[in-house]
Amino acid sequence: MTDHIRKHIELKAPVDRVWRALTDPEEFGAWFRVKLDGPFVPGQEATGLITRPGYEHVRWRATVVRMEEPRLFSFTWHPYAVDPEKDYSGETPTLVEFTLEERNGGTLLTITESGFDTLPDNRRVEALRMNEGGWTVQAYNIRAHVDGPTQD
């Protein structure tokens, strides 16, 4: 079993546009489907409510680790922490990193989430499975947000 998820997606949008979509709380909320309570600040917790249908009861919490404009945005969080009756604070969080590289006038966005091996056995497989699929969806969400509708 792996301890990380890695997704790569090429976007037509320039790096500065993708950076804004990642780090502006309103833009992040629009594609990630979360209503954030405030801005992202390194070293501070960011909170909000998930707006994705079926998950509106979930409180979104992440601690911003790094914001190195315009190349790296990272935070820690508790993956697939969706049970409102469970306290996840005793678990070691995973690290989510968004790295941006200029590529052919657009952006290569790499999304990496690591640290699943620190999760309790009873959560590890489910969290990894759910976030594997979740990051695929989120990669397409940010593409639609920054590139607009695709023309096939």
Side-chain angles (χ1 to χ4, degrees):
M1 183 165 136
T2 183
D3 109 303
H4 71 277
I5 297 166
R6 183 165 289 125
K7 304 288 180 183
H8 302 280
I9 189 162
E10 291 202 25
L11 307 169
K12 295 177 197 163
V15 167
D16 63 330
R17 173 69 189 103
V18 178
W19 177 258
R20 192 169 64 251
L22 289 170
T23 60
D24 176 274
E26 287 186 26
E27 287 209 41
F28 183 90
W31 66 266
F32 198 90
R33 310 293 192 267
V34 61
K35 172 78 172 120
L36 293 170
D37 298 325
F40 291 122
V41 178
Q44 293 186 12
E45 184 177 55
T47 60
L49 284 173
I50 299 292
T51 60
R52 181 176 304 285
Y55 292 91
E56 296 94 337
H57 65 282
V58 177
R59 188 96 181 121
W60 193 87
R61 305 181 102 79
T63 299
V64 177
V65 176
R66 294 165 60 187
M67 293 179 76
E68 298 175 7
E69 186 175 355
R71 302 286 180 218
L72 174 66
F73 174 53
S74 64
F75 57 78
T76 59
W77 70 351
H78 297 288
Y80 199 61
V82 297
D83 182 348
E85 303 300 315
K86 177 152 176 45
D87 178 9
Y88 298 94
S89 64
E91 295 179 6
T92 301
T94 56
L95 174 66
V96 175
E97 298 177 294
F98 299 93
T99 56
L100 296 81
E101 293 177 46
E102 190 172 334
R103 174 80 51 96
N104 301 324
T107 304
L108 173 63
L109 174 63
T110 302
I111 304 166
T112 306
E113 183 173 5
S114 60
F116 287 92
D117 59 345
T118 66
L119 295 179
D121 291 343
N122 64 332
R123 283 212 343 105
R124 183 178 306 124
V125 172
E126 176 104 11
L128 186 61
R129 182 179 68 80
M130 294 303 290
N131 282 23
E132 173 75 33
W135 285 119
T136 298
V137 170
Q138 295 296 20
Y140 289 112
N141 286 349
I142 195 170
R143 174 186 276 162
H145 184 78
V146 299
D147 288 353
T150 58
Q151 306 293 318
D152 290 333

